[in-house]
């Protein structure tokens, strides 16, 4: 087992929980190697022989660490996660437990399932990508984290300042989403592979990670007043009833704009528009938690 651990994820005792996971895996007869350094992790995951000596990659981190691991190992080995981040959207989606002992038991059963991933530019994403105000928040937060020259822990409260700054100064420039060739104009665009979004907001509640499609939502109106109105509608699960909100599904998408707009994927900056998006079917195997009926043991 390879445990890819991020010492900067979340605010809890990550190292103690990783130690518990190692001990639990040892009880099931698994040797485990823990990698804390991001550079060492990337080099290890890039090993072309990884699948020969590693039967599972366990990410001890949040959604950002999972996104990095997915891009570094490209689905060659089944993935599990010990959720120690802030939102843990990926872990919530697939039911990964916070208790290391329960996670080790699920890994030992050896069942996994294949899920789709999305691709934006050259980056894979498991959850979602977006263009617009929330992507601007992500870019602002990334610049703040990089300013000190050393990694910083992030909590939900950390997002307050970049959110307020974006609401005050974001330009709300128009964009066009082309969904399988059909143009949809707007000012904010979100594309989902899985239905979960930060703070449990249900932008695309029917998105599925194994249907070969990406679910998209476009908000048409600009301005902070419109954003607040949209936010209220999303909280009430009424946004898709509005005439100024468009949604659908597609395999390939393209987002263009007259001026470059920020793009984010799974909570990390992903460049600027124009952006090409596509679904990558069955690109990642995920360890099954709970009832394994209907899934295979990864040997097929």
């Amino acid at each position: 087992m390879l445990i890819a651990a991020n010492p900067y994820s979340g605010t809890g005792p990550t190292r103690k929980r990783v130690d518990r996971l190692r001990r639990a895996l040892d009880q099931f007869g698994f040797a485990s190697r823990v990698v804390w350094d991001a550079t060492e992790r990337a080099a290890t995951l890039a090993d072309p022989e990884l699948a020969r000596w590693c039967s599972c990659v366990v990410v001890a981190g949040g959604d950002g660490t999972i996104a990095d691991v997915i891009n570094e190992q490209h689905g060659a080995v089944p993935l599990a996660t010990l959720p120690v981040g802030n939102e843990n959207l990926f872990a919530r989606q697939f039911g990964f437990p916070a208790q290391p002992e329960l996670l080790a038991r699920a890994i030992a059963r050896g069942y996994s399932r294949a899920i789709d991933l999305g691709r934006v530019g050259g980056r894979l994403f498991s959850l979602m990508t977006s263009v617009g105000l929330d992507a601007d928040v992500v870019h602002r937060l990334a610049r703040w984290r990089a300013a000190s020259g050393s990694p910083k822990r992030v909590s939900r409260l950390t997002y307050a300042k970049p959110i307020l700054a974006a609401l005050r100064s974001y330009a709300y420039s128009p964009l066009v989403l082309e969904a399988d060739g059909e143009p949809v104009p707007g000012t904010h665009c979100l594309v989902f592979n899985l239905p979960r979004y930060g703070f449990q907001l249900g932008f695309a509640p029917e998105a599925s990670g194994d249907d070969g499609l990406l679910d998209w939502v476009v908000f048409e109106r600009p301005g902070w007043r419109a954003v607040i109105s949209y936010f209220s509608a999303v909280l009430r699960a009424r946004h898709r009833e509005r005439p100024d909100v468009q949604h659908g599904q597609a395999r390939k998408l393209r987002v263009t704009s007259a001026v470059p707009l920020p793009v984010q994927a799974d909570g990390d900056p992903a460049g600027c528009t124009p952006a090409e998006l596509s679904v990558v079917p069955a690109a990642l195997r995920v360890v099954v938690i709970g009832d394994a009926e209907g899934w295979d043991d990864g040997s097929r």
Side-chain angles (χ1 to χ4, degrees):
M1 299 289 165
L2 176 65
I3 302 175
N6 185 349
Y8 303 102
S9 289
T11 57
T14 301
R15 292 185 181 273
K16 290 183 179 180
R17 293 179 62 195
V18 169
D19 287 341
R20 285 172 56 191
L21 178 60
R22 289 192 67 179
R23 291 194 296 270
L25 289 171
D26 183 67
Q27 290 179 355
F28 285 103
F30 293 113
S32 58
R33 173 185 173 188
V34 181
V35 178
W36 292 95
D37 179 74
T39 301
E40 182 184 357
R41 180 194 70 211
T44 304
L45 291 171
D47 180 1
E49 300 295 316
L50 179 68
R52 291 183 177 273
W53 60 266
C54 180
S55 57
C56 180
V57 174
V58 187
V59 180
D63 295 308
T65 310
I66 292 172
D68 287 338
V69 168
I70 287 172
N71 280 273
E72 290 162 358
Q73 71 116 349
H74 302 296
V77 176
L79 184 140
T81 181
L82 178 64
V84 297
N86 294 304
E87 293 288 344
N88 300 309
L89 300 176
F90 187 94
R92 291 171 185 265
Q93 178 65 31
F94 296 107
F96 284 103
Q99 296 85 354
E101 294 76 16
L102 294 180
L103 177 59
R105 184 179 304 170
I107 293 171
R109 295 173 69 196
Y111 288 93
S112 63
R113 59 174 289 194
I115 67 165
D116 305 333
L117 294 175
R119 185 186 300 276
V120 55
R123 186 165 180 83
L124 296 167
F125 62 91
S126 64
L127 299 169
M128 59 85 65
T129 189
S130 66
V131 182
L133 178 68
D134 68 326
D136 185 61
V137 171
V138 168
H139 280 240
R140 289 173 184 270
L141 185 65
R143 290 194 295 269
W144 170 79
R145 296 186 77 179
S148 68
S150 60
K152 296 180 180 179
R153 287 182 180 266
V154 172
S155 67
R156 284 185 170 182
L157 187 61
T158 311
Y159 281 87
K161 186 174 181 179
I163 287 174
L164 291 174
L167 285 171
R168 287 195 301 265
S169 62
Y170 186 67
Y172 302 97
S173 299
L175 57 82
V176 176
L177 170 72
E178 295 178 28
D180 285 339
E182 293 294 325
V184 183
T187 55
H188 311 277
C189 167
L190 300 97
V191 179
F192 291 84
N193 180 54
L194 297 173
R196 294 185 181 270
Y197 186 82
F199 299 97
Q200 300 302 303
L201 296 175
F203 286 95
E206 297 170 4
S208 173
D210 57 7
D211 61 358
L213 296 167
L214 297 173
D215 289 49
W216 57 266
V217 183
V218 171
F219 297 91
E220 296 180 357
R221 293 168 51 203
W224 64 268
R225 290 183 177 86
V227 168
I228 293 174
S229 177
Y230 287 139
F231 181 79
S232 174
V234 171
L235 287 176
R236 293 179 288 113
R238 304 295 294 271
H239 58 292
R240 294 190 297 177
E241 302 173 9
R242 296 176 55 139
D244 57 352
V245 177
Q246 307 301 318
H247 63 93
Q249 295 179 308
R251 289 180 173 84
K252 292 186 177 181
L253 305 100
R254 175 177 169 83
V255 184
T256 57
S257 55
V259 298
L261 298 178
V263 181
Q264 68 92 9
D266 286 352
D268 287 321
C272 295
T273 53
E276 304 278 351
L277 297 94
S278 60
V279 65
V280 188
L284 178 70
R285 298 204 68 84
V286 179
V287 169
V288 171
I289 303 297
D291 184 8
E293 183 178 355
W295 306 115
D296 63 59
D297 62 1
S299 63
R300 295 191 292 274

